[in-house]
Amino acid sequence: MPPMAQQTSQSPRDQRTESLNRVISMLLQGLALQNFCSDDEEFEAFQRKVRKLREEISKIDDEDTGLLVVGSSARAPDRGDAAELTPRQKDIQAAVSMISESLLSVARPPELQAQALRESEHDVTSARTSDEIAAAAARLSACLDSIRTQILRRNDAALLPSQSYAPSDIDLVTGLPDARQAMDALSAAWKHRKRYCVAVFGIRRLDAINQRFGFQAGDESLRVVTQHLAEYFARDYLLFRWRGPCLLCVMEKKLPMPLIVAEVKRVAGMRLQQAMTMKNRDAIVAISMTCNIISLETDSIDDVVAKIEEFLVSLLER
């Protein structure tokens, strides 16, 4: 008789456990590759968790323990809140941050809205579970809708340089909208006074030019100055003829105020000239300007008008 074979066969229970080990191992590794692991180091860490899980499964000796182990395995792929971001996640986070910062620079929302957008951006890039992603997406959508609404309202309230005027609203000397239209524009800008300011320009010694060369020469000086200012400001801002030697420009604060002031002074400081004829003799007359920047952040529009008139009076007294 052949010697009795050693008993190496496994019991049905052991076979089921081993099969379960293999199936769970394959499933979890596949899940890790598909959704959770994006580099070798992370996958190795996940495999260590899988091996630990298999050890726990091999020790199952009753249904209750099996339920506990299987229940805890649902957290095996979880990397935890304190885990560091992978290179891919960091790239995504940087890209989202770049998009949101570009939006903020264009929208220029209040600080609370800007902070809300940055927090939503962080929620989206740090979300792990489906519920977290859905919640973060909902918050981000609400935040973007708020900023979009603000931009649309701002555009609706903007004063457009291309605004058309009736012939009766145009100053005959300069071809610019007259003082009545200037008042309407000032009133509209004052409602959004943090976004706008006023630059007022005056021609020095216009009365002297009128007296020496005639009113036609004074009108020509106004036209020369108008053409000069329009070259620099008419495309982006609103120009008006106020009265006397003054022209008005309603300006949106597209740049920091120091840069706006510097540009206004630079343009006003350029010396202009025109040819005049007096008693059959030609003469070249220099035209010079002065200017002032007036804030719209006042208690009323009347305060703005008062400052413009003060500038006009001081100009006439020189």
Side-chain angles (χ1 to χ4, degrees):
M1 290 181 62
M4 183 177 294
Q6 295 183 352
Q7 200 160 4
T8 58
S9 60
Q10 294 179 322
S11 67
R13 180 178 177 278
D14 292 336
Q15 291 176 352
R16 288 196 301 272
T17 299
E18 185 176 346
S19 298
L20 181 60
N21 285 344
R22 288 197 298 270
V23 171
I24 291 179
S25 178
M26 287 187 293
L27 286 175
L28 291 180
Q29 290 188 46
L31 184 62
L33 288 171
Q34 182 71 20
N35 297 301
F36 294 93
C37 300
S38 56
D39 55 40
D40 293 339
E41 182 179 351
E42 186 177 2
F43 182 63
E44 289 175 3
F46 183 82
Q47 283 184 316
R48 288 194 294 271
K49 292 182 179 181
V50 170
R51 284 193 291 270
K52 182 178 179 181
L53 180 60
R54 291 180 62 182
E55 292 174 1
E56 294 178 355
I57 291 174
S58 65
K59 300 175 184 178
I60 295 175
D61 56 5
D62 59 71
E63 293 184 359
D64 291 338
T65 303
L67 289 174
L68 290 175
V69 171
V70 173
S72 66
S73 69
R75 297 184 54 84
D78 186 10
R79 290 169 292 184
D81 295 336
E84 293 185 359
L85 295 177
T86 66
R88 178 173 177 272
Q89 289 168 334
K90 290 179 180 179
D91 290 342
I92 293 175
Q93 189 175 60
V96 174
S97 177
M98 180 175 62
I99 294 172
S100 64
E101 290 303 321
S102 298
L103 176 61
L104 291 176
S105 66
V106 173
R108 293 178 294 172
E111 184 57 32
L112 287 178
Q113 275 190 331
Q115 183 63 28
L117 178 60
R118 293 189 179 100
E119 290 176 356
S120 296
E121 164 205 324
H122 177 268
D123 291 343
V124 169
T125 56
S126 62
R128 295 294 179 267
T129 67
S130 298
D131 290 342
E132 289 175 350
I133 293 173
R139 288 193 294 272
L140 179 61
S141 178
C143 185
L144 292 175
D145 283 344
S146 177
I147 294 177
R148 175 178 175 274
T149 300
Q150 178 177 316
I151 293 175
L152 292 177
R153 287 176 179 172
R154 179 186 297 167
N155 290 340
D156 291 341
L159 304 178
L160 301 177
S162 60
Q163 183 175 348
S164 59
Y165 296 92
S168 58
D169 299 330
I170 301 299
D171 174 62
L172 296 179
V173 175
T174 62
L176 295 174
D178 59 23
R180 292 174 302 172
Q181 306 311 310
M183 275 300 306
D184 290 343
L186 285 173
S187 298
W190 186 82
K191 295 177 182 178
H192 308 277
R193 47 193 173 276
K194 290 186 177 181
R195 291 179 52 211
Y196 291 92
C197 64
V198 174
V200 56
F201 301 89
I203 301 176
R204 291 191 176 100
R205 301 182 300 277
L206 184 62
D207 286 344
I209 294 176
N210 286 333
Q211 292 174 7
R212 187 172 182 182
F213 297 100
F215 286 100
Q216 184 176 355
D219 290 347
E220 185 60 29
S221 297
L222 278 167
R223 282 190 283 268
V224 170
V225 169
T226 298
Q227 184 176 359
H228 174 68
L229 296 178
E231 181 179 348
Y232 289 93
F233 299 128
R235 182 175 3 181
D236 297 317
Y237 306 121
L238 292 170
L239 278 172
F240 301 92
R241 167 78 186 277
W242 188 247
R243 63 187 187 90
C246 288
L247 303 175
L248 205 67
C249 184
V250 179
M251 311 181 75
E252 185 178 4
K253 298 177 184 177
K254 298 180 179 180
L255 298 172
M257 277 307 299
L259 294 181
I260 293 177
V261 172
E263 180 65 5
V264 167
K265 290 183 176 180
R266 184 184 74 84
V267 174
M270 296 179 182
R271 295 188 66 83
L272 307 174
Q273 62 183 24
Q274 64 172 329
M276 301 287 185
T277 300
M278 181 179 63
K279 296 181 180 180
N280 297 324
R281 296 182 60 185
D282 293 332
I284 302 297
V285 177
I287 303 173
S288 62
M289 284 184 289
T290 182
C291 67
N292 191 21
I293 300 289
I294 298 175
S295 172
L296 294 181
E297 296 185 49
T298 61
D299 293 335
S300 70
I301 189 63
D302 294 337
D303 296 333
V304 178
V305 175
K307 292 179 180 179
I308 297 173
E309 289 298 314
E310 287 175 9
F311 174 84
L312 174 59
V313 171
S314 66
L315 181 63
L316 295 175
E317 290 175 349
R318 293 176 184 176

